Amino acid sequence: MDSVEPVSPDRTLSSDITVLHVDDDEQFRRATELKLGREPNITEIHSADSVDAALDRYADEELDIDCIVSDYELRERTGIDLLRIVRDADPNLPFIIFTGAGSEDAASDALSAGATNYLQKGSDDIRFTVLAKHIRQAVENRRAEKEIHRGFKAIEITNEGIALVTPDFEFNYVNEAFAHLFGYDQNELRGKGWDCVIPEEVTAYVEPKFKPAMDQWETETTVTESDGTEISLHITISPITNDGFVCAVEDVTKRKEREAALERENERLDQFASMVSHDLRNPINIVELYTKEARKTGDEEYFDEIEAATDRMKDIVSDLLTLARMEEIETDDSVSLSTLASETWANTETENASLENEFGDGRVVASEPRLKELFANLYRNVAAHAGADVTVRTGRTADGFFVEDDGTGIPEADREQVLEAGYSTGGTTGFGLTIVAQVANTHGWTLDIDESESGGARFEFGDVEFASR
């Protein structure tokens, strides 16, 4: 059987209609072309006198045929033969059998083969008006179907979850993105009540209020997936007359995370600016004061005070930069606690203090540079506040590790305050324990300050991920 490539269906649709008329009666073809040409919207009529000629015309991409009108009986082959060939290429192209050889069998054959309609020619001009009406209706239906298919295709490929919900609050249609969002197959959700996946706070609001005139409504909510993961959803409800409504769902988890991260960053920058302003003001004032005195008297002891103040400013700036860069880290190194604790101790000024390292061979998943800062600041805190001849001990716990000493300890009432930026009882920048807390927070660890068995301070870190060797 003949085959033919379909004309591209993607051209821009308009009210103009192009018809291919197939009839082996030349006089009738001319009459049809004349009469149909006077009908609204039918702007082009192309004629053919046989199946082969019609197929050549149909395959011509420049013609863009909207509807084929064919006689039943043609030379050599019939209009049904032409219909079957065209249907192989385009199952939906409007095709009307328009014949004078009317019979129930002919009509049955035409409709069984996929004809859009079957009309008898008749004997007066009204036949062409009736034919034109059927052509327009068939083409309008076809174009509407194309638009619907385009719409559903667009809905299918979008990343946004789209569902059509009936007035009885059941899913009539869901796209793949919607089904995937909730861990379902598309066919599984069709026919189910929408409350099987839509949060109660949405269903409880929409169901009592739903009516065709209901305004579009949207909200953001959080749902927990089957694996325990929480996701943030933006849900929009848009009524569509009496047929229900569209429920559009967008996963905005990443957006919310970015917003939260930006908010944290802004808070951190505000805190950083406040700390710079507050904590550098005092040593700057000291430098200004003693510079004036040095100029007046030339006494060298003022230069010692100036040098001490500038050293303090350097320490403050160093600690502030450490805090500012705290989130710029990779926390997937496998770090030996014992090695890092000992090396950091050797490189930290701890005066007369001693270290008892009991970490053994434990390794943690962490940022090695940041973990060094954690230990260094804990050691420096001991040297500054724990007293003389203090012993520092390190070790493992069930879900983490600890660093403790046998010094003077930290009063229970001060244990939260010591972690605040700029808090100091003298001799330090006031940022050391803030850095310790930030390192723990960045890694997702908990930090508890308690009293050691010997009455000193104990810093215990939990929820630590240990690495295999």
Side-chain angles (χ1 to χ4, degrees), residues 31 123 265 381 467:
S123 57
E265 181 67 13
N381 184 71

Side-chain angles (χ1 to χ4, degrees), residues 194-268:
W194 76 321
D195 56 0
C196 70
V197 293
I198 300 300
E200 184 180 358
E201 65 184 87
V202 177
T203 62
Y205 177 86
V206 173
E207 292 184 9
K209 298 177 181 293
F210 175 70
K211 54 185 178 180
M214 176 183 174
D215 292 333
Q216 177 174 295
W217 179 75
E218 56 189 308
T219 188
E220 288 190 356
T221 185
T222 301
V223 299
T224 303
E225 295 189 308
S226 56
D227 62 358
T229 303
E230 283 195 349
I231 59 174
S232 298
L233 302 178
H234 183 94
I235 299 178
T236 304
I237 306 298
S238 303
I240 44 177
T241 64
N242 294 318
D243 297 324
F245 56 90
V246 176
C247 177
V249 181
E250 181 184 4
D251 184 349
V252 294
T253 306
K254 291 184 178 179
R255 190 198 78 195
K256 300 293 275 185
E257 289 174 350
R258 288 194 297 270
E259 290 175 352
L262 181 60
E263 186 176 350
R264 289 195 304 270
E265 181 67 13
N266 288 336
E267 289 176 355
R268 199 162 63 91

